[in-house]
């Protein structure tokens, strides 16, 4: 199986730049998209041989995830099943016969780290619980835009980025917990 994860930063713009042609030439089994920023009815996209499932955000033009796959999933689960997390379309799970595929667009801690507490103490913990629950049933492949630079080597200027969203000690430690799990 070949899987591609891609933060498209607006699927409509990505389509205008040749997304459909890329998929048809690339022929991966599964494409996990983050930050689609659109509702299904706003997108004209024909991908013969593929099934597309969506979890758009309630707020128009904001976040959202999608999965495009050669084989139709047995089941699709939008979100984590928790109202406090599920309005932004940040998680989409596709169940296949032998595994789950989860695409995630983790919330950014934002300027002034306004969402750091939510990210570290709610989102990351609840996302990990969700994935661990799925793992009890069958293997899980999760991918996406996790909005964290895990180690100093992941940035050109780690010292000047300390305490910036995506590179706080708290986010990195929280991501360590996910990796260790």
């Amino acid at each position: 199986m070949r899987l591609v994860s891609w933060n498209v930063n607006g699927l409509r713009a990505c389509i205008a730049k040749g997304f459909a042609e890329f998929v048809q030439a690339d022929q991966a089994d599964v494409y996990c998209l983050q930050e689609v920023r659109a509702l299904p009815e706003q997108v004209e996209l024909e991908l013969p041989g593929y099934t597309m499932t969506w979890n758009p955000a309630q707020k128009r033009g904001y976040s959202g995830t999608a999965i495009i796959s050669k084989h139709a999933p047995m089941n699709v689960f939008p979100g984590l099943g928790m109202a406090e997390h599920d309005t932004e379309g940040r998680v989409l799970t596709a169940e296949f016969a032998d595994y789950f595929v989860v695409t995630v667009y983790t919330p950014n801690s934002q300027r002034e780290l306004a969402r750091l507490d939510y990210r570290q103490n709610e989102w990351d913990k609840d996302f990990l619980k969700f994935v661990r629950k799925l793992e009890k049933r069958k293997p899980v492949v999760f991918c996406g835009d996790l909005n964290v630079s895990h180690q100093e080597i992941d940035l050109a200027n780690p010292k000047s980025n300390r305490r910036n969203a995506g590179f706080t000690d708290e986010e990195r430690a929280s991501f360590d917990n996910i990796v260790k799990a």
Side-chain angles (χ1 to χ4, degrees), residues 71-91:
H71 302 285
M74 297 167 39
N75 291 301
V76 177
F77 311 100
L80 300 177
M82 304 173 85
E84 64 269 28
H85 299 308
D86 289 347
T87 62
E88 296 180 2
R90 292 188 176 274
V91 176

Side-chain angles (χ1 to χ4, degrees), residues 139-170:
V140 175
V141 175
F142 86 80
C143 59
D145 181 344
L146 301 166
N147 265 316
V148 65
S149 292
H150 186 214
Q151 299 177 350
E152 287 190 359
I153 196 170
D154 297 326
L155 292 174
N157 300 303
K159 289 183 182 15
S160 63
N161 277 292
R162 268 247 164 4
R163 296 304 301 160
N164 284 339
F167 197 63
T168 64
D169 292 340
E170 296 89 343

